[in-house]
Amino acid sequence: MTAQSLTAAAGVFAVLALLMSGVPIGVALGFTGIAGLAAVLGLEPALIKSGVIVFDTMSRYEFGVLPLFLLMAHLCFAADASRDFFKATASLFGHRPGGLAMASIGACAGFGAISGSSLASAATVGLVALPEMRQRGYSDAFASGAVAAGGTLGQAVPPSTALIVFGIIAEQSIGRLFIASLLPALTQILFYFLVVVLVARWRPDWAPAEPRMSWAGRRRALLRIVDVSALILLVIGGIALGWFTAPEAGSVGASGALLLCAWRRRLTRSSLAHAFVETLRTTGMIYLIVIGALIFSVFISVSGLSAIVGGLIGAAGGERVLTLIIVTVVLLLLGSMLDGLSLMLVTTPLLLPVMQGLGYSPIWFGIFLVRAMEIGFVHPPIGMNLYVIQGIAPDIPLERIFKGVLPFLAADLLHLTLLVAVPAIVLVLPRVLAP
Amino acid sequence: MSSSARHSRIELLLAWTGAIGLSTSVLVGTASVLARHLRIALAGDVEIMRAAILVTASVALLCATLASRHASVHLLTDRLPVTVGMRLARTGAVLSVVFFLAVACGLAWIMLDLRHAHEQSDILHIPYAPLRWINLAAVLGALVATAIRGWRRQRS
């Protein structure tokens, strides 16, 4: 191992130590990256490289997709879309055992297609769905577990902020990543529905059925989401069909959300100001992380550490499946210590070249990584979604929320295995729609 | 004027600037899609969007810093004694200041190197120098905001 690689290995440990010390994620990555580059190349190239990365990232056309989709999400949030999604899906599934849990998962997927965030999906849908389910006699553990797990769909369904960030770091087409995430998200929803059905059969008292809603009631509930669903379809369909690029889709989505807010009479000066301010704050937070991660990844690539990691894996047999199992275990272990975005940003520069060397598509790896990252959102000790749910329902102990999420966690692991066993689930749509 | 009032005025000004940048991106992006589908040539839309995105991103970085919204991992720090937690927070603030300072030096270095280059975009000839200044100002602003917050925390 060369001195440069030793420096890089020390850098990886330094990043982990700084992250655990509560240093802002972007600063931990960027500071280590600049210090490492200074050690390897000298101070002047390190400073200039960091300056180049900052200006290039902040003026990058493709990255404009992030603030635009965030603005769309905040405007849709102002239009009360999460409540409408839950009511619509509850009107369809509520009469079945576990129907409201399915409705929560469906609402999380629907709201995830607007917000692109796991935490936002779990929080907004949880606010509406949890009190409703508990009032109807659902087990608090099962209800909270369903919402916590459903929230992870926020990152799975396009436009996902995690996929946008991966696209920037890995220099992959964000549009292709969005298209590739469609089938995995759909199968993930089906897996969750299956869990609900099985749990409702095993313990009917945990998820009692509701009286069937009349067709007029269903029609009313569904009509409330026609506008938001049309906007989501336009945005995702437009990218898939090549009508517009991802940043243009963000512009169209934000324009549509603005019109939707006005149409629903929710467009006030304060709601607009709130949407702009929240969009700017979240955008700034993500930009700092991405800038830090890009500086860190330059350091890793200059040091040649990823080549050494690849070599070590090769020396261990170079077996694709074995490598993937090792990578998955490492991701899940790190995911129990780091939050999702940190996990992605620390591991992508190291693991992506290794996986590409083994013949895996970067698009597939992006979806796989995001899926592994989502699992970290629902397993302790980090499990951010579990804490979000506890914030909404403080009277439910964390242990019960974790108990409720366990069957969904098992489904998540099975789903991850499915993505590994059948990569076509990820790769078929980009091949057909965006060759 | 009190410090908090000045702070909120700065945030208000930033919010307006960011909102203008965001709205420009939204309008130009939507207009370019409509124009393309109506077969009308709209030259330079990407260049305008790039400039608007840079302004938005620069303001956003400052807004997130002023609002202390930068993400960090709390797994360990939440379980530590308060004094240790405060010491780690101070270390984090110092590292943040050093990081912003390093990035600002890098940006300034490039600007100095390119001062006679008259960089501009290809179609609309949008000059890059003012955009670089905005970018540098935002990073310096983030540096100052982090330093002031760290200083106040130290004193309290």
Side-chain angles (χ1 to χ4, degrees):
Chain A
M1 195 183 262
T2 62
Q4 288 184 355
S5 308
L6 278 174
T7 312
V12 172
F13 286 110
V15 163
L16 292 174
L18 290 177
L19 287 174
M20 298 308 276
S21 309
V23 174
I25 299 167
V27 172
L29 288 161
F31 178 83
T32 314
I34 294 176
L37 281 172
V40 174
L41 302 175
L43 186 61
E44 184 184 331
L47 293 180
I48 291 177
K49 189 68 196 166
S50 64
V52 168
I53 288 173
V54 170
F55 186 78
D56 282 356
T57 308
M58 289 177 126
S59 61
R60 204 164 156 174
Y61 171 70
E62 292 81 9
F63 212 178
V65 71
L66 181 78
L68 294 169
F69 275 128
L70 285 172
L71 181 62
M72 172 183 153
H74 284 295
L75 289 170
C76 285
F77 185 62
D80 221 0
S82 56
R83 185 179 297 272
D84 294 337
F85 269 119
F86 177 70
K87 285 193 170 162
T89 40
S91 75
L92 290 178
F93 301 114
H95 62 284
R96 297 179 188 282
L100 288 183
M102 287 187 198
S104 311
I105 292 163
C108 282
F111 192 71
I114 301 166
S115 73
S117 152
S118 290
L119 298 179
S121 299
T124 48
V125 175
L127 274 173
V128 185
L130 262 184
E132 192 95 5
M133 281 195 275
R134 296 178 79 188
Q135 198 186 340
R136 310 286 167 92
Y138 271 61
S139 143
D140 54 1
F142 182 57
S144 54
V147 179
T152 64
L153 287 162
Q155 296 280 24
V157 181
S160 144
T161 46
L163 285 177
I164 294 172
V165 171
F166 178 82
I168 301 287
I169 305 280
E171 296 186 332
Q172 295 300 312
S173 155
I174 293 167
R176 277 174 71 88
L177 281 165
F178 282 176
I179 297 167
S181 69
L182 285 172
L183 278 182
L186 191 67
T187 45
Q188 189 183 343
I189 295 170
L190 292 176
F191 269 58
Y192 285 170
F193 276 14
L194 191 66
V195 168
V196 172
V197 169
L198 292 176
V199 170
R201 277 199 183 170
W202 176 53
R203 294 293 298 264
D205 55 316
W206 280 14
E210 282 290 294
R212 186 187 286 269
M213 193 183 260
S214 68
W215 279 107
R218 284 182 178 179
R219 201 168 59 91
R220 265 197 308 277
L222 288 173
L223 277 176
R224 286 287 299 166
I225 59 162
V226 164
D227 48 3
V228 191
S229 306
L231 182 63
I232 294 168
L233 275 179
L234 175 69
V235 168
I236 299 173
I239 296 173
L241 296 172
W243 291 349
F244 30 72
T245 61
E248 285 173 346
S251 298
V252 171
S255 300
L258 205 63
L259 290 175
L260 190 137
C261 252
W263 164 256
R264 291 184 167 209
R265 297 181 192 283
R266 295 279 186 152
L267 191 64
T268 61
R269 215 174 122 172
S270 71
S271 69
L272 193 60
H274 182 76
F276 275 125
V277 169
E278 283 305 309
T279 301
L280 288 170
R281 286 176 176 173
T282 315
T283 302
M285 178 196 80
I286 298 178
Y287 263 101
L288 182 68
I289 294 174
V290 170
I291 286 166
L294 286 172
I295 296 173
F296 182 72
S297 76
V298 169
F299 164 51
I300 291 292
S301 69
V302 165
S303 71
L305 184 65
S306 51
I308 289 175
V309 172
L312 284 175
I313 289 171
E319 178 64 39
R320 272 167 60 111
V321 178
L322 180 68
T323 307
L324 204 57
I325 291 170
I326 295 170
V327 167
T328 310
V329 171
V330 168
L331 287 176
L332 292 177
L333 281 177
L334 280 176
S336 65
M337 290 186 284
L338 300 175
D339 78 299
L341 218 48
S342 315
L343 172 72
M344 173 190 276
L345 297 174
V346 174
T347 54
T348 301
L350 270 174
L351 296 180
L352 182 62
V354 174
M355 300 307 279
Q356 279 183 291
L358 287 171
Y360 286 102
S361 144
I363 297 280
W364 178 86
F365 182 64
I367 304 295
F368 173 79
L369 191 57
V370 169
R371 200 66 196 82
M373 184 181 134
E374 284 166 18
I375 294 176
F377 273 96
V378 286
H379 80 75
I382 292 268
M384 293 290 285
N385 280 12
L386 308 182
Y387 292 101
V388 165
I389 299 299
Q390 208 200 14
I392 296 167
D395 57 316
I396 308 179
L398 203 58
E399 296 78 29
R400 284 198 58 74
I401 302 175
F402 179 58
K403 187 183 167 194
V405 92
L406 271 179
F408 296 99
L409 198 53
D412 276 337
L413 293 173
L414 271 178
H415 185 245
L416 198 65
T417 313
L418 180 74
L419 294 187
V420 173
V422 192
I425 294 174
V426 174
L427 298 173
V428 70
L429 280 185
R431 263 184 214 144
V432 174
L433 292 169
Chain B
M1 199 194 312
S2 72
S3 164
S4 62
R6 205 163 42 232
H7 191 248
S8 61
R9 279 197 179 186
I10 292 172
E11 282 197 306
L12 196 66
L13 177 72
L14 286 173
W16 272 107
T17 315
I20 291 169
L22 264 174
S23 308
T24 307
S25 306
V26 171
L27 283 175
V28 173
T30 310
S32 87
V33 170
L34 288 175
R36 191 167 58 245
H37 288 280
L38 293 170
R39 295 180 192 283
I40 300 168
L42 200 68
D45 54 329
V46 173
E47 291 179 1
I48 299 173
M49 270 186 89
R50 270 193 71 186
I53 286 163
L54 182 114
V55 173
T56 306
S58 300
V59 169
L61 180 70
L62 202 41
C63 282
T65 309
L66 283 172
S68 298
R69 282 280 285 268
H70 291 305
S72 52
V73 178
H74 295 281
L75 175 70
L76 198 64
T77 50
D78 284 352
R79 289 165 175 78
L80 289 171
V82 180
T83 47
V84 180
M86 281 175 68
R87 211 168 291 153
L88 286 175
R90 270 200 297 275
T91 311
V94 170
L95 288 182
S96 300
V97 168
V98 174
F99 170 69
F100 284 129
L101 184 66
V103 167
C105 286
L107 286 169
W109 204 315
I110 296 164
M111 285 173 70
L112 205 66
D113 278 353
L114 295 172
R115 65 191 182 281
H116 300 304
H118 303 293
E119 284 181 291
Q120 54 186 19
S121 65
D122 295 333
I123 300 169
L124 299 177
H125 306 297
I126 298 170
Y128 281 4
L131 297 176
R132 287 191 184 277
W133 274 109
I134 291 170
N135 200 202
L136 177 62
V139 173
L140 286 173
L143 188 160
V144 171
T146 311
I148 290 174
R149 190 173 306 114
W151 173 250
R152 282 189 184 149
R153 194 180 289 148
Q154 171 87 9
R155 285 180 69 190
S156 65

